[in-house]
Amino acid sequence: MLILYILLTVLVVGLIGASSCVRVVKQFERGVVFRFGRVRPAIRPPGLALLVPIADRLQKVNMQIITMPVPAQDGITRDNVTVRVDAVVYFNVIDPVRAAVDVEDYISAIGQVAQTSLRSIIGKSDLDDLLSNRERLNQGMELMIDSPALDWGVHIERVEIKDVALPETMKRSMSRQAEAERERRARIITADGELQASEKLGQAAEVMTKHPAALQLRLLQTVVEVAAEKNSTLVLPFPVELLRFLERSTPAESPQPVTADPEIRTTPAETNGSTTSDLSKGLEIAQSPPDAGHVSLSPQMLTARPPALPDAAVTAALGTVGVAHTRWGGLHSGSADPAWQP
């Protein structure tokens, strides 16, 4: 019975020792073996890994791509703007031995290098680059992190800047700038449209000048567009082209001879002779009293131009003016006799 217990004890100890000598390495891992503290150059692939009891110790290294967020960093850009920027780093181990031997904790080391590189990128860049040219900044930050990481057996796959936090005052300033820029573009587009419209309207005016019927067609088209609404009263003006058509269709009237006013009759002898009697008649009309009745003047009398007088006729007319003075009561011009009334 005692022998049986001894055999069972040996079997259990053997199983425990065998389990410590056999390790399982997963597909995404690689095994680094340390024999009495010294690393073995052979990397254990995925599967069962047999170790020497008591002498060997296996360390597994993850070969997957690790996603590590970089905490937000406060910094001042090259154009003196305070910003807060965060990023994310993608990396993986390419040399398990160096990652296990050369650096104590490669994940923490990569994180610290990423934060330092992010601060450096912020100080070397302008605000416009952080907002609009992130691809170039990502490449620059990737190179800055990848340089020391290669010595640790780590490769940086990608670096991305996630967010750029700006002060509220800067946000309002940028909003006003963007609004002003949009307003400028809108005004330029409107002015360009008016210029093109004026050119087209000028061409249309030239065509309508050559073809007057086009104006009437345009009027009818406008009437059609307004009538489609059915919510207003339309007053259609009388077309001017129709008036022109009627004017061209109406025969021209023969001119009628102009007859002189029967109150004025002249003879060739009176026209060629002295005009003293005409002037005397005019003076008599002017000196007639107010109660003599209304004197009617025909349009021919108002618009008739007196004929040219020869020198003898002018002398006779001046003599008639002297007679008119006598008929007016013998008063000369400038007389202040209160008894005289014109």
Side-chain angles (χ1 to χ4, degrees):
M1 190 66 181
L2 181 60
I3 296 175
L4 182 59
Y5 285 152
I6 293 173
L7 292 176
L8 291 176
T9 304
V10 172
L11 181 60
V12 170
V13 172
L15 291 175
I16 295 174
S19 64
S20 62
C21 295
V22 178
R23 302 289 298 275
V24 177
V25 180
K26 298 180 181 179
Q27 182 65 37
F28 56 86
E29 294 176 340
R30 297 294 182 271
V32 179
V33 178
F34 293 90
R35 180 169 294 176
F36 294 110
R38 183 174 296 178
V39 64
R40 303 293 296 174
I43 304 298
R44 299 301 172 91
L48 290 177
L50 300 178
L51 304 176
V52 177
I54 303 174
D56 293 345
R57 185 175 63 87
L58 180 67
Q59 182 177 352
K60 299 178 182 179
V61 179
N62 191 355
M63 302 297 291
Q64 291 178 321
I65 295 178
I66 301 175
T67 302
M68 184 181 65
V70 180
Q73 303 295 315
D74 294 328
I76 300 177
T77 60
R78 191 168 58 180
D79 50 353
N80 300 326
V81 179
T82 303
V83 294
R84 186 178 180 87
V85 184
D86 57 351
V88 59
V89 180
Y90 304 89
F91 64 94
N92 65 326
V93 178
I94 57 177
D95 191 350
V97 175
R98 301 182 67 177
V101 175
D102 293 348
V103 61
E104 180 182 2
D105 186 0
Y106 65 90
I107 296 180
S108 177
I110 294 298
Q112 295 298 322
V113 172
Q115 295 180 24
T116 306
S117 301
L118 183 58
R119 287 178 176 269
S120 178
I121 286 294
I122 294 173
K124 294 179 180 179
S125 305
D126 295 332
L127 179 61
D128 294 338
D129 294 336
L130 288 175
L131 297 177
S132 61
N133 196 10
R134 293 187 181 182
E135 188 65 27
R136 184 177 62 84
L137 299 181
N138 294 337
Q139 294 177 359
M141 188 174 175
E142 180 181 347
L143 292 176
M144 294 178 65
I145 301 175
D146 195 40
S147 297
L150 288 176
D151 298 334
W152 304 334
V154 178
H155 173 65
I156 306 299
E157 291 288 342
R158 190 175 181 85
V159 180
E160 292 287 346
I161 296 177
K162 293 175 60 178
D163 188 22
V164 178
L166 299 175
E168 293 297 329
T169 56
M170 181 58 65
K171 290 182 180 179
R172 289 193 295 268
S173 300
M174 294 176 66
S175 299
R176 291 194 299 270
Q177 179 184 2
E179 184 178 358
E181 179 66 20
R182 294 292 180 181
E183 184 68 21
R184 182 184 67 86
R185 294 181 182 178
R187 291 183 178 180
I188 291 176
I189 293 174
T190 303
D192 191 12
E194 291 180 356
L195 176 59
Q196 296 179 5
S198 62
E199 293 177 354
K200 296 298 181 182
L201 288 175
Q203 296 176 5
E206 294 178 357
V207 174
M208 289 182 180
T209 303
K210 297 178 181 178
H211 306 281
L215 182 61
Q216 182 64 22
L217 295 177
R218 184 61 186 139
L219 176 61
L220 296 177
Q221 181 64 28
T222 305
V223 170
V224 172
E225 294 176 359
V226 174
E229 298 295 333
K230 297 182 181 179
N231 58 357
S232 60
T233 302
L234 180 62
V235 179
L236 181 63
F238 194 77
V240 180
E241 296 299 327
L242 183 56
L243 292 178
R244 294 179 180 175
F245 175 75
L246 294 176
E247 182 180 357
R248 289 193 299 267
S249 300
T250 304
E253 297 181 357
S254 59
Q256 299 179 358
V258 179
T259 58
D261 193 347
E263 297 181 2
I264 300 177
R265 293 181 176 85
T266 57
T267 60
E270 292 176 351
T271 303
N272 297 329
S274 176
T275 59
T276 305
S277 60
D278 294 336
L279 294 175
S280 300
K281 291 180 181 180
L283 293 176
E284 289 176 356
I285 293 173
Q287 69 178 355
S288 60
D291 55 355
H294 177 70
V295 179
S296 62
L297 300 177
S298 63
Q300 289 78 3
M301 295 176 62
L302 296 177
T303 58
R305 178 175 296 181
L309 302 177
D311 296 337
V314 173
T315 305
L318 292 178
T320 308
V321 173
V323 175
H325 277 286
T326 305
R327 292 183 180 180
W328 279 83
L331 296 177
H332 300 282
S333 61
S335 176
D337 187 0
W340 174 81
Q341 296 293 335

